[in-house]
Amino acid sequence: MFGNLFEEEEEIGASPPGPVAGRVSKGAEEPPPPRGQSALSGIRNQGGTCYLNSLIQTLLFTPEFREELFSLGEDALGALEDKDKPEAKVRVIPLELQRLFARLLLVNQQSATTADLTDSFGWTNNEETSQHDVQELNRILFSALEHSLVGTSGSTLIHRLYHGTTVNNIVCRECGKVSQRQEDFLDLTVCVCGMCSLEEALWDMFVEEELFEGNNLYCCAQCDRLVTAAKSAKLRKLPPFMTMSLLRFSFDFTKCERYKETGRYTFPLNINLRPFCEQTDGEDSDYSYELFSVIIHKGGCYGGHYHVYIRDIDQLGQWEPTAEETKSKTQKKVTVSGTKLDTDDPLSLLTAIIAQESSKSVLLDQLGQKLMDKTGCSWSKKFRKQYGPIGKFLQSHNDVFILVSNGSRVALKANPPSPLSEIPSPAEQAHTTEQSSSLDPGTEQTQTNTRQEPQQENHWFDLNDSAVTPIKESDIEKQFQGKESAYMLFYRKTKLHRPSGALKNPLYKVPPHLVEMAQEENRILQNRREEFDDTSNSVELRLHLAPSYRLDNGALQPISKEQDGVTTLSFDRRKTVGDMRLAIYQMQELWEGDMALTVAKSLPAGLHLYNTLEDDSLSLYTAGIYTNSDLFVWNGREVCGATLLTGAQWEPVLLTVVRPSLDDEEMVGNGVGDGDGDGTIQNGGPGVKKEARGFAGGATLREVRDALGEPQESLLCQEHAAGKRGGHAGGGEGGGASGWKVFPPEDMQRTLKELALKDGDALLVLEPQTFESSVFSLSGDVVTVTTPSDCRWLQVEFRPTRGGMQVEEEERKRAKVPASGNMLLCEVKQRAIEELQLKEQLAGVECCLRQVDRSGKHLPPVCEELSVREAGVRLMTALTLCPGRAPKASQLFLHFSVSTVPSADMEIIVEQTCTVMACLRAMLDAVGLEGHGWHLRRLDWCEEVGEPLMDEDASLSELKISSGDAFVITEGKLPPKGFLKLSVWLRLDPGNNSAASTKSDFDRASGDSCKDIKAGGFSVALRAVGDVEIPDEATLEDLKSQVLTLPSLQSVCVPTPAFLRVWQLEDRRPARILRGQQVTLRKLRLANSTDLCVQQLLKEEDLGPKEVLLRVQMGVPGERCYYPPEELVWDASRDSSPSSLRSALAAHYGLSPDTLLLAKHQPDKHAWDAISSWSQQVSKRKKKKKMESLLAAPLHLKDGDTIGIKNLLLDGNREFCTLEDEQGQQRLREQAEQRRKGGLCVSSDGALAAKPEKKAGPSKSRKPEVALSINVGTFR
């Protein structure tokens, strides 16, 4: 059932048409889409309720059950408004089922929700996301309804419709005595194993006799001995509705595991049960049944998915035949309303089709289907190659066609529909049909002939959660076998006839109060859709005015920093470029001369221009203008007298120019600073300084050198790969060197784009006399920058005691011990003892090395089994030799105190695998306390008592407790339940200056190091900032507000909680973004001890349910690498196809969608999955596939995924893999070869280790199965 629990297939034609790329929801939640072409409503999956959805749809399309349920009024069931009153007996389950049925029949939405119904069951999130069996649910739901309807007129509802009886007979072959036992049933469980059809299984159950003979004799009461006998069974009473449950799941006693029977098992559409009944003297209609519902299970015995095939008995839906059935021979001439039209002229065809409609308009997504009905050929096959998509064809003929109803319908401009006309809801449509039939019965034949609707006796639909699709009756045969096969069969007696008033009338026998409820919900939905459409079509544009800019180093820079020259304009994207140009003219009254509008983009080097909008007749959407687009307003020729070079090939590049520093004070720097982009010179490390400069991407290296004012003999160098990994221009900490590669003379004529230089790359500029310094050396074409080597030491201090007190400062002993990053700390301690001559004094005494913070407080002892670098000890720092035992690599050094007095500090060393309870017991034994009324609380870095450790059975390593953590033994039991304890991490974004300052402040305060987590192929810096304890009924906004109160985040400046993004971590990796400021934590399905990560943003963010945050990387032309990644919010709410993503990326980069090649990165496999337009024709014989969703299989795009982009105009290489990917793939192949040999396995860190013994039984861990139950009140 978990095959596609968290993805819902989109119904063809269900989503409203119209462009959606670039839409921004301005605080308004998107309303649910209306029903699709089938006019039937699906049911949303709550996470694991596909089995419930299938059964609910079957009961809905059982008219007798539906009408019996609707016949129960408030006098029998009570009112939902009174359910919280203590003495009121409100039968909540049938009331909620009534409301759900009414919504499915009458409310104009693509899918309804079962949340209220499952709440009435007493279900929690666990039941809604756990796997259950639909056959089990069928019995439990019927039992719950029977108990709920006790004492009402509907108390016998289930019994009258579904109850039947069987009789078991045992006949003694000696005396002829017959023993009978009658059994009741609501559904028949029939065997599948060893059977090939339903008839064979029923024959085996009710016709074949079982003989008791040989060693298996029967004890006859009359004969009083063991005798031979025959056992048989018959159907005694047949219910109006017969339910057959197929035993698809069996148990293999050899393998001790369950399996699913997937062999061929047929069942008839019509069946006669006379041969299986006890009484056979009735009429055939008493035994004849017809199939009307098939619940299908797809998957295995441990998981899968349910959907249902249902016959629309009352013809409530609009069934349309498939394309194969409607396809006829293509004719040169087609008759429409008595006029012969040329099928080669799409304009006359579409005009005639729209003109013959009674509403004078056609739904945009149904126009193609109507064209196929008339011509027998689709638009894509006949006209797309010559005229393009049908939407583009309509837009190019805007003198003939016009979009109405918020762009969802197309009409003729010469004969537009009435502005009051609108699409009726299902309830209004049925009411109108009922009135027209009663007013003029003679019009029925005329309407039937005019509509030319395909006539078929049995209309079947596939109801798959939210998706409703018409199918043929022959499609049922496809469910006879395979992993996707029939699981439950529902038959009804053929003599059950429906009244004529029920056909095509969803209002039939629906109570008036439910009709009013549905009409009110339809009105609210219509208002929400209109408001949302108006809001979503408004785009915010940033206008950059030419008089406020100047050209500097190939990029546009604001003349004044106080006035950036940006003007915000809100505009309707459905209007044309000419309308926008006129609006800008009106805003800029002093503008003189021509006005050109050019798409611009803010780059690190400055503002750059791309394509100019020249066609004033294009709409903003067609022109690729979306929300937050930048437009540059100028005369189209020059800016401040300087000619501009536009286009992607002239994009400016921001380089870090590194020069030698001759100032002695600058020779003591310790790391390359970050450039500000304004040319400010900064300290770049020992002997170097740097500045950020921008250059045009089409400029050559020679032009760059001249722009820097350097002589011709100067050398330009690019940072070597090893230097980049080191991260310092001046070498690593504690001495070292970095390499720079000199550009050869032929590269001086190449442009920055050709050299694949990108923003942030460093460029070292050296003059020949520079090599006279010891810092710089030239060897071939490599320049080495060497740092001083006299910094490879550690200072160790010994503080002797006299009378229990430490001696004065002058009596302390110090020694400078030569050390390197690879030296073990035990060697450092041994050398220090020798240097300080303490062998005799410390003989037999345990001692350890401890660091000292700025306040003089001792930090935890360092693990002497680790090296200096692994222990995080920086060279040129001081260590103290102190008495005490040093912890091992598998141990933790903890501080603790009793009560809330941090001054009484004690220390203890425990194993990392030790549980919280064992650690607490060890601490209590150390201080001589007894009892069980104690618990541990953390002590944060400012010595304030924090949250308790809730899970006392968890190990210290699982709780991410590290050496040096402080705890308080607090008296009392743990806090009460009902609260969520959430661990909060801070995500440090290197590109965010505010986050960087937060990181430095936190480092100075705590001294902790940041952990780089590999997520999605890129490194994410996470820092633990504390825990929060919050009720599960609190909203996401409340959670953000409480997180900001943590002491570790006091320096974080956030105007509102909307400037904070919250990620949910899985295995310490960002997995999903929590959405909805007012959504409760329970609805977000947050569990206790969930790890969260907060990320500070530079602007407010309120992502919609289907807005995906992606990391996009543009490939460097001609190189196997990428430019730095950028964040992109892609709106996939209405269109999640590859073309939608391609359009969004094209708008982001200012390129044409046809020139982009996309792929998704799989970091675990070091591979790239191409994102192609899956609607392309594979071959002439194959049909075109429907457009797939990128949120579903096989790509499953989610927050944080990396998308690679290739610009085919500049880069002919279609391969996305980089050298790092190839190296990773090679490692995976080597590991797979080792596993194949069976001798070694790969550990989590990539190392090879001995392969453990394989345990018997299935290796895959599964959740424990929990019995399904429905809570029902007492009504007896």
Side-chain angles (χ1 to χ4, degrees):
M1 191 174 63
F2 290 92
N4 50 356
L5 289 181
F6 304 102
E7 59 190 63
E8 297 184 359
E9 299 177 3
E10 297 180 0
E11 181 185 2
I12 301 175
S15 299
V20 296
R23 176 184 59 80
V24 172
S25 177
K26 304 181 188 308
E29 183 179 358
E30 182 177 1
R35 303 189 182 207
Q37 296 178 2
S38 64
L40 297 178
S41 176
I43 301 178
R44 287 193 289 276
N45 196 324
Q46 296 190 52
T49 57
C50 54
Y51 65 101
L52 173 65
N53 298 348
S54 301
L55 183 59
I56 292 296
Q57 293 283 19
T58 299
L59 297 178
L60 173 69
F61 284 90
T62 307
E64 291 76 9
F65 177 88
R66 181 181 72 231
E67 292 163 7
E68 288 276 358
L69 185 66
F70 279 149
S71 66
L72 302 175
E74 291 189 358
D75 53 343
L77 303 180
L80 281 176
E81 295 78 12
D82 302 333
K83 66 179 181 179
D84 295 328
K85 296 182 180 179
E87 298 181 357
K89 288 190 175 182
V90 180
R91 306 170 195 271
V92 182
I93 294 179
L95 283 172
E96 291 292 358
L97 196 57
Q98 281 184 346
R99 293 165 68 93
L100 177 59
F101 280 3
R103 290 189 176 97
L104 291 171
L105 289 172
L106 305 177
V107 178
N108 186 20
Q109 57 183 351
Q110 180 186 358
S111 58
T113 178
T114 55
D116 293 337
L117 180 63
T118 54
D119 287 345
S120 70
F121 292 168
W123 289 2
T124 61
N125 292 341
N126 294 332
E127 283 85 3
E128 294 167 359
T129 57
S130 298
Q131 174 174 2
H132 292 292
D133 185 73
V134 69
Q135 297 175 2
E136 177 189 12
L137 175 68
N138 184 56
R139 302 186 183 102
I140 293 176
L141 180 59
F142 281 1
S143 175
L145 286 174
E146 286 183 323
H147 285 81
S148 297
L149 297 177
V150 168
T152 68
S153 58
S155 59
T156 60
L157 169 63
I158 303 299
H159 188 274
R160 284 186 284 107
L161 296 182
Y162 296 95
H163 179 265
T165 58
T166 61
V167 57
N168 295 312
N169 299 320
I170 299 180
V171 181
C172 177
R173 290 295 179 88
E174 301 290 337
C175 64
K177 175 179 173 56
V178 179
S179 299
Q180 289 188 347
R181 187 180 77 253
Q182 180 174 301
E183 295 181 355
D184 301 331
F185 70 87
L186 293 178
D187 64 295
L188 286 180
T189 303
V190 294
C191 185
V192 174
C193 182
M195 303 293 173
C196 62
S197 66
L198 176 64
E199 296 94 327
E200 181 182 352
L202 293 176
W203 188 274
D204 183 72
M205 292 174 60
F206 299 111
V207 177
E208 296 288 344
E209 290 185 342
E210 180 184 358
L211 294 179
F212 296 104
E213 56 184 359
N215 294 330
N216 185 25
L217 296 176
Y218 170 70
C219 182
C220 178
Q222 184 168 323
C223 299
D224 196 19
R225 60 188 177 88
L226 296 175
V227 297
T228 59
K231 179 182 179 182
S232 63
K234 291 291 182 181
L235 292 169
R236 172 167 290 180
K237 176 192 172 185
L238 296 177
F241 297 91
M242 180 70 74
T243 304
M244 306 286 188
S245 299
L246 308 184
L247 287 177
R248 285 278 183 188
F249 300 116
S250 303
F251 189 82
D252 189 339
F253 289 93
T254 303
K255 298 181 180 179
C256 291
E257 64 180 11
R258 287 183 290 177
Y259 69 96
K260 181 179 179 180
E261 297 282 354
T262 58
R264 183 174 177 83
Y265 188 87
T266 63
F267 47 89
L269 297 177
N270 295 278
I271 189 172
N272 191 307
L273 299 181
R274 185 192 293 270
F276 316 117
C277 293
E278 184 181 32
Q279 303 293 334
T280 59
D281 53 354
E283 298 180 359
D284 281 345
S285 60
D286 296 333
Y287 307 99
S288 297
Y289 285 83
E290 57 184 359
L291 184 70
F292 76 97
S293 177
V294 182
I295 293 183
I296 300 162
H297 180 266
K298 177 182 179 181
C301 56
Y302 295 106
H305 180 66
Y306 288 99
H307 62 107
V308 60
Y309 286 177
I310 290 181
R311 181 162 70 91
D312 187 8
I313 299 172
D314 284 349
Q315 300 183 18
L316 301 178
Q318 295 181 8
W319 189 91
E320 295 184 0
T322 57
E324 291 81 359
E325 294 178 342
T326 59
K327 201 176 214 180
S328 60
K329 294 182 179 180
T330 306
Q331 303 173 353
K332 274 293 179 184
K333 300 292 180 180
V334 178
T335 302
V336 180
S337 300
T339 305
K340 289 187 176 181
L341 299 176
D342 189 356
T343 56
D344 294 332
D345 183 12
L347 183 60
S348 61
L349 280 174
L350 296 180
T351 303
I353 290 173
I354 297 174
Q356 73 168 352
E357 293 292 324
S358 58
S359 61
K360 303 302 180 184
S361 64
V362 178
L363 281 172
L364 193 58
D365 59 345
Q366 294 182 4
L367 186 58
Q369 181 64 39
K370 291 183 178 293
L371 178 66
M372 177 180 287
D373 295 342
K374 298 300 181 185
T375 64
C377 189
S378 66
W379 174 276
S380 298
K381 185 174 182 180
K382 190 171 182 64
F383 301 113
R384 183 182 179 92
K385 186 175 181 180
Q386 181 178 358
Y387 299 100
I390 191 171
K392 184 177 180 181
F393 178 81
L394 295 175
Q395 193 170 29
S396 62
H397 293 80
N398 53 10
D399 56 333
V400 180
F401 305 103
I402 184 174
L403 294 179
V404 295
S405 298
N406 295 327
S408 62
R409 302 178 73 88
V410 59
L412 298 178
K413 204 166 188 179
N415 188 17
S418 171
L420 298 178
S421 62
E422 59 181 16
I423 305 174
S425 66
E428 296 168 347
Q429 186 178 2
H431 186 62
T432 305
T433 305
E434 187 179 24
Q435 284 184 345
S436 61
S437 301
S438 61
L439 288 175
D440 190 1
T443 61
E444 181 178 355
Q445 184 66 29
T446 304
Q447 292 176 356
T448 303
N449 296 335
T450 304
R451 187 170 51 195
Q452 295 181 355
E453 185 177 280
Q455 297 296 323
Q456 183 174 338
E457 183 180 355
N458 297 329
H459 293 171
W460 286 81
F461 293 91
D462 177 13
L463 291 97
N464 190 347
D465 288 341
S466 297
V468 182
T469 312
I471 61 172
K472 298 180 296 183
E473 198 172 59
S474 58
D475 290 336
I476 300 176
E477 298 178 2
K478 300 177 183 178
Q479 308 303 328
F480 287 166
Q481 61 188 357
K483 288 189 175 181
E484 183 177 7
S485 50
Y487 191 58
M488 285 189 75
L489 308 176
F490 295 83
Y491 288 88
R492 56 183 286 121
K493 283 192 174 182
T494 55
K495 67 178 182 180
L496 296 175
H497 299 293
R498 299 294 297 149
S500 59
L503 297 180
K504 300 184 179 180
N505 183 12
L507 283 170
Y508 186 71
K509 291 192 176 180
V510 180
H513 69 281
L514 294 179
V515 175
E516 295 177 359
M517 177 199 72
Q519 291 176 347
E520 178 64 18
E521 292 187 6
N522 280 328
R523 184 188 62 80
I524 295 174
L525 281 174
Q526 183 63 25
N527 292 338
R528 287 179 57 194
R529 287 170 185 147
E530 292 176 357
E531 294 174 359
F532 182 80
D533 190 65
D534 293 339
T535 304
S536 60
N537 281 307
S538 177
V539 292
E540 299 288 338
L541 306 176
R542 292 192 294 264
L543 303 180
H544 302 264
L545 305 179
S548 302
Y549 284 84
R550 58 180 173 85
L551 185 64
D552 185 15
N553 291 329
L556 292 170
Q557 305 289 347
I559 295 177
S560 173
K561 292 186 177 181
E562 291 76 13
Q563 298 178 356
D564 55 2
V566 178
T567 303
T568 303
L569 174 65
S570 297
F571 207 72
D572 192 335
R573 63 176 181 173
R574 294 169 291 189
K575 293 185 178 181
T576 64
V577 175
D579 297 335
M580 181 177 63
R581 194 188 308 273
L582 181 60
I584 298 176
Y585 263 121
Q586 295 174 354
M587 291 174 55
Q588 304 296 324
E589 298 178 354
L590 301 180
W591 187 276
E592 296 181 358
D594 298 335
M595 176 183 289
L597 303 178
T598 304
V599 178
K601 184 181 178 182
S602 294
L603 300 175
L607 193 69
H608 184 65
L609 307 186
Y610 293 89
N611 56 304
T612 301
L613 306 178
E614 298 177 350
D615 191 352
D616 285 356
S617 63
L618 293 179
S619 66
L620 265 63
Y621 167 74
T622 307
I625 305 301
Y626 308 112
T627 290
N628 296 327
S629 293
D630 293 282
L631 293 178
F632 190 70
V633 185
W634 59 315
N635 58 12
R637 297 181 300 275
E638 59 184 12
V639 175
C640 296
T643 303
L644 293 184
L645 298 175
T646 62
Q649 67 273 19
W650 293 100
E651 280 186 358
V653 181
L654 185 67
L655 299 179
T656 302
V657 181
V658 183
R659 289 187 175 93
S661 174
L662 302 179
D663 190 353
D664 293 339
E665 295 181 358
E666 294 180 359
M667 294 290 291
V668 296
N670 57 355
V672 177
D674 293 331
D676 297 332
D678 55 0
T680 304
I681 299 177
Q682 297 184 359
N683 181 18
V688 296
K689 60 183 179 181
K690 73 166 191 174
E691 62 176 328
R693 292 285 298 271
F695 303 96
T700 63
L701 271 181
R702 185 182 302 276
E703 294 171 348
V704 171
R705 185 187 61 190
D706 296 340
L708 293 174
E710 298 291 337
Q712 293 185 359
E713 58 272 13
S714 297
L715 298 180
L716 300 184
C717 312
Q718 185 179 17
E719 192 172 4
H720 198 265
K724 291 183 180 181
R725 286 193 298 268
H728 295 283
E733 177 191 356
S738 62
W740 300 75
K741 187 176 181 181
V742 180
F743 285 106
E746 57 269 17
D747 283 352
M748 300 302 291
Q749 301 299 329
R750 300 177 65 186
T751 65
L752 301 184
K753 290 290 185 182
E754 293 173 348
L755 294 171
L757 291 175
K758 56 185 181 297
D759 294 325
D761 283 354
L763 190 68
L764 178 63
V765 182
L766 297 176
E767 296 183 8
Q769 61 270 22
T770 308
F771 299 107
E772 300 175 0
S773 170
S774 61
V775 178
F776 303 95
S777 61
L778 178 64
S779 176
D781 61 347
V782 176
V783 174
T784 304
V785 182
T786 307
T787 58
S789 58
D790 60 347
C791 56
R792 295 176 176 269
W793 50 265
L794 286 172
Q795 179 174 286
V796 180
E797 181 182 57
F798 177 67
R799 303 177 181 180
T801 57
R802 184 179 300 118
M805 301 294 292
Q806 292 187 357
V807 298
E808 298 294 333
E809 179 75 20
E810 57 271 8
E811 298 185 29
R812 297 178 182 177
K813 297 181 179 180
R814 297 180 180 86
K816 184 179 290 187
V817 179
S820 65
N822 298 325
M823 181 181 291
L824 296 178
L825 285 169
C826 59
E827 299 179 18
V828 174
K829 184 180 75 172
Q830 188 64 30
R831 291 187 182 184
I833 293 176
E834 293 175 358
E835 292 284 342
L836 297 172
Q837 301 178 358
L838 297 175
K839 281 189 176 182
E840 297 181 359
Q841 184 177 348
L842 299 179
V845 179
E846 288 186 337
C847 57
C848 59
L849 294 175
R850 303 181 69 166
Q851 291 179 296
V852 181
D853 61 10
R854 296 180 179 179
S855 62
K857 181 181 178 180
H858 280 154
L859 298 179
V862 295
C863 177
E864 298 176 2
E865 298 176 356
L866 302 179
S867 64
V868 173
R869 183 179 295 105
E870 292 172 342
V873 178
R874 301 180 60 182
L875 298 177
M876 298 186 298
T877 57
L879 296 174
T880 304
L881 189 63
C882 302
R885 182 164 57 94
K888 298 180 180 179
S890 61
Q891 294 177 333
L892 298 175
F893 181 88
L894 305 177
H895 301 273
F896 72 96
S897 58
V898 182
S899 186
T900 57
V901 185
S903 58
D905 192 10
M906 287 162 278
E907 302 167 348
I908 190 172
I909 296 177
V910 294
E911 294 290 334
Q912 293 182 0
T913 57
C914 175
T915 63
V916 175
M917 179 58 70
C919 178
L920 174 62
R921 183 54 52 194
M923 293 178 178
L924 292 174
D925 294 342
V927 296
L929 294 176
E930 297 181 355
H932 298 281
W934 304 89
H935 67 271
L936 280 181
R937 286 180 177 265
R938 287 180 183 266
L939 199 66
D940 58 20
W941 61 275
C942 57
E943 297 187 348
E944 293 183 359
V945 179
E947 302 297 331
L949 302 182
M950 301 295 292
D951 191 356
E952 295 186 335
D953 295 328
S955 64
L956 301 181
S957 59
E958 291 175 351
L959 297 179
K960 305 300 184 290
I961 294 176
S962 56
S963 289
D965 287 351
F967 298 90
V968 174
I969 302 177
T970 307
E971 188 173 5
K973 297 182 179 180
L974 288 173
K977 296 182 179 180
F979 284 74
L980 296 177
K981 184 179 181 182
L982 307 174
S983 300
V984 183
W985 296 70
L986 177 64
R987 176 171 176 170
L988 303 176
D989 187 359
N992 189 341
N993 295 332
S994 178
S997 62
T998 302
K999 174 182 181 302
S1000 60
D1001 294 342
F1002 194 89
D1003 286 342
R1004 288 192 296 269
S1006 64
D1008 292 342
S1009 61
C1010 178
K1011 293 185 178 181
D1012 288 338
I1013 308 298
K1014 204 73 173 178
F1018 63 101
S1019 181
V1020 176
L1022 299 180
R1023 182 181 301 282
V1025 295
D1027 297 334
V1028 295
E1029 188 172 307
I1030 189 171
D1032 55 1
E1033 292 297 333
T1035 62
L1036 179 61
E1037 186 176 12
D1038 299 333
L1039 174 63
K1040 292 181 179 180
S1041 301
Q1042 185 164 340
V1043 165
L1044 291 174
T1045 62
L1046 292 173
S1048 301
L1049 298 179
Q1050 293 301 309
S1051 60
V1052 177
C1053 180
V1054 177
T1056 63
F1059 282 79
L1060 208 63
R1061 180 187 296 160
V1062 182
W1063 293 79
Q1064 183 175 347
L1065 300 182
E1066 293 180 4
D1067 298 331
R1068 295 293 168 85
R1069 300 168 183 260
R1072 71 180 179 106
I1073 298 176
L1074 302 185
R1075 294 165 166 81
Q1077 299 289 341
Q1078 302 304 320
V1079 179
T1080 63
L1081 303 185
R1082 176 180 296 178
K1083 290 188 177 180
L1084 291 174
R1085 304 185 187 279
L1086 293 183
N1088 201 17
S1089 302
T1090 300
D1091 287 341
L1092 300 180
C1093 166
V1094 294
Q1095 180 182 4
Q1096 187 179 3
L1097 304 176
L1098 299 179
K1099 61 180 180 179
E1100 291 185 340
E1101 180 182 84
D1102 189 9
L1103 296 179
K1106 284 194 176 182
E1107 287 182 330
V1108 187
L1109 181 71
L1110 301 175
R1111 299 177 70 256
V1112 295
Q1113 290 181 303
M1114 176 66 75
V1116 179
E1119 300 290 339
R1120 302 183 63 183
C1121 58
Y1122 295 88
Y1123 291 116
E1126 303 175 53
E1127 286 188 351
L1128 172 70
V1129 177
W1130 172 47
D1131 184 7
S1133 58
R1134 293 189 181 179
D1135 186 7
S1136 56
S1137 63
S1139 60
S1140 173
L1141 177 59
R1142 186 174 283 104
S1143 299
L1145 290 171
H1148 180 72
Y1149 286 98
L1151 301 173
S1152 173
D1154 298 332
T1155 63
L1156 300 183
L1157 194 65
L1158 311 181
K1160 174 194 172 184
H1161 190 222
Q1162 290 188 352
D1164 296 333
K1165 298 181 180 179
H1166 301 282
W1168 294 80
D1169 290 342
I1171 302 177
S1172 60
S1173 182
W1174 299 329
S1175 63
Q1176 295 179 354
Q1177 187 171 345
V1178 181
S1179 67
K1180 293 183 178 180
R1181 295 185 178 180
K1182 292 185 180 180
K1183 299 185 303 178
K1184 292 188 178 181
K1185 299 181 181 179
K1186 69 175 183 179
M1187 193 66 69
E1188 298 290 345
S1189 170
L1190 294 180
L1191 305 182
L1195 292 178
H1196 295 289
L1197 281 189
K1198 61 183 183 302
D1199 294 328
D1201 280 350
T1202 299
I1203 303 297
I1205 310 165
K1206 294 281 188 177
N1207 185 359
L1208 298 180
L1209 293 178
L1210 302 177
D1211 192 0
N1213 181 18
R1214 294 173 175 263
E1215 181 62 39
F1216 283 87
C1217 285
T1218 63
L1219 295 177
E1220 290 78 4
D1221 292 329
E1222 290 185 353
Q1223 295 172 1
Q1225 293 174 4
Q1226 179 63 27
R1227 289 195 300 269
L1228 293 178
R1229 286 193 292 268
E1230 294 174 356
Q1231 295 169 4
E1233 180 65 21
Q1234 294 292 344
R1235 287 194 297 268
R1236 187 185 64 80
K1237 293 179 180 179
L1240 298 174
C1241 66
V1242 182
S1243 62
S1244 59
D1245 57 356
L1248 296 176
K1251 187 174 182 179
E1253 295 184 2
K1254 186 177 181 180
K1255 297 182 180 180
S1259 59
K1260 184 178 180 180
S1261 60
R1262 302 184 180 93
K1263 293 183 179 180
E1265 297 184 3
V1266 182
L1268 183 64
S1269 63
I1270 296 179
N1271 300 327
V1272 185
T1274 303
F1275 303 108
R1276 298 185 182 275

